[in-house]
Amino acid sequence: MIVRLIRSGVAAAAAAGLAFALVLAGSTPASAIFGGTTSGVLRGQVNIWADSGTRYKCTGTLIGQRWVLTAKHCFDGEDPDRFQIWTGDRRPKYGEGVPIIGWAPNDKYDVAVLHLRWSVRNVNLIAKYNANSLLKTGITVAVRGWGRDQPSVPSSAPTPSLRVCSLSVDGSAVDHMRLIPIDGIPVKGDSGAGVWAGDRVYGIYYSYAPDYSYGYAIQTSVVAGWIEGLTDIPGVG
């Protein structure tokens, strides 16, 4: 393991002595939303690639000009120096590509914050994340991501355009949400995608059942203080 300090210009993070852990080695393939439809909306979603854009990995959410929220397991055994994100277009690897210079894995939850090498140009793409409330059971949420819409296909190639599915919150605990599919369910390549309700992200999607009957997400409210401490970007209430 290599540990590198990310000099983000955030005084609060520097004062707290926060470091970003960079992990080296292997990877897992990605696929994406099973069911759902092609999304006509782009709301902060970014597609994440490894190895000079030859290997699609995960989805993330742009929460600041140089910060992306995603799932930690997307980077297990990987070197973030070989990663980049693409933002600003519903098609994968269109729009603006920005390299990743480091990442901060949360020590308890399957959540990570990515630090971009430079600021994205289009600030209108930046999304808000929820800071202090939980989604209630029965609320309908949306998840958007890229990748294969047939999980059984052994390919890591993304779909030609961003896809979206609706899910219902079946259970809401202090830290986790269980999500039941309405018209589709996110799978491997959608790891790290934001769970949307209204105009903000309430969760980070990270896992699904083998039979695609439900999925899980981390509530952003439980990691909001950690995110703000790293990025100096507060969540909203």
Side-chain angles (χ1 to χ4, degrees):
M1 176 179 290
I2 296 177
V3 177
R4 179 182 304 169
L5 290 176
I6 301 301
R7 305 192 182 280
S8 64
V10 178
L18 296 170
F20 282 66
L22 305 188
V23 187
L24 303 177
S27 64
T28 55
S31 55
I33 287 174
F34 180 33
T37 59
T38 299
S39 177
V41 175
L42 184 69
R43 304 183 67 182
Q45 289 81 21
V46 304
N47 46 102
I48 303 170
W49 293 76
D51 300 334
S52 301
T54 61
R55 189 161 51 94
Y56 174 65
K57 285 291 292 184
C58 286
T59 300
T61 303
L62 189 70
I63 60 168
Q65 284 187 275
R66 295 186 66 185
W67 304 99
V68 168
L69 189 61
T70 189
K72 177 171 64 176
H73 74 259
C74 296
F75 295 86
D76 287 346
E78 297 274 12
D79 178 1
D81 283 342
R82 301 174 66 177
F83 280 74
Q84 66 181 153
I85 64 102
W86 285 83
T87 181
D89 201 292
R90 292 192 296 275
R91 298 167 295 174
K93 286 203 299 185
Y94 277 78
E96 181 182 9
V98 184
I100 296 169
I101 59 172
W103 69 297
N106 187 271
D107 61 1
K108 184 175 181 181
Y109 300 106
D110 194 349
V111 178
V113 172
L114 310 182
H115 190 215
L116 306 181
R117 187 171 296 277
W118 58 75
S119 298
V120 300
R121 293 190 297 266
N122 189 351
V123 297
N124 293 325
L125 294 171
I126 295 171
K128 300 174 182 178
Y129 69 93
N130 183 62
N132 58 22
S133 58
L134 302 178
L135 285 179
K136 296 180 180 180
T137 299
I139 295 292
T140 297
V141 297
V143 177
R144 295 174 177 86
W146 289 267
R148 305 298 294 184
D149 57 1
Q150 300 177 41
S152 60
V153 175
S155 173
S156 61
T159 50
S161 188
L162 183 68
R163 295 181 66 82
V164 60
C165 67
S166 298
L167 304 101
S168 176
V169 178
D170 179 60
S172 183
V174 172
D175 48 2
H176 297 274
M177 289 183 282
R178 193 169 90 149
L179 305 172
I180 302 298
I182 295 174
D183 63 1
I185 186 168
V187 288
K188 290 181 181 177
D190 299 307
S191 291
V195 177
W196 286 81
D199 65 349
R200 72 186 68 167
V201 172
Y202 278 80
I204 303 101
Y205 192 84
Y206 71 92
S207 182
Y208 64 98
D211 63 356
Y212 314 118
S213 60
Y214 59 86
Y216 280 110
I218 302 294
Q219 300 266 13
T220 55
S221 57
V222 78
V223 290
W226 175 79
I227 295 169
E228 183 176 359
L230 292 167
T231 66
D232 207 28
I233 299 168
V236 294

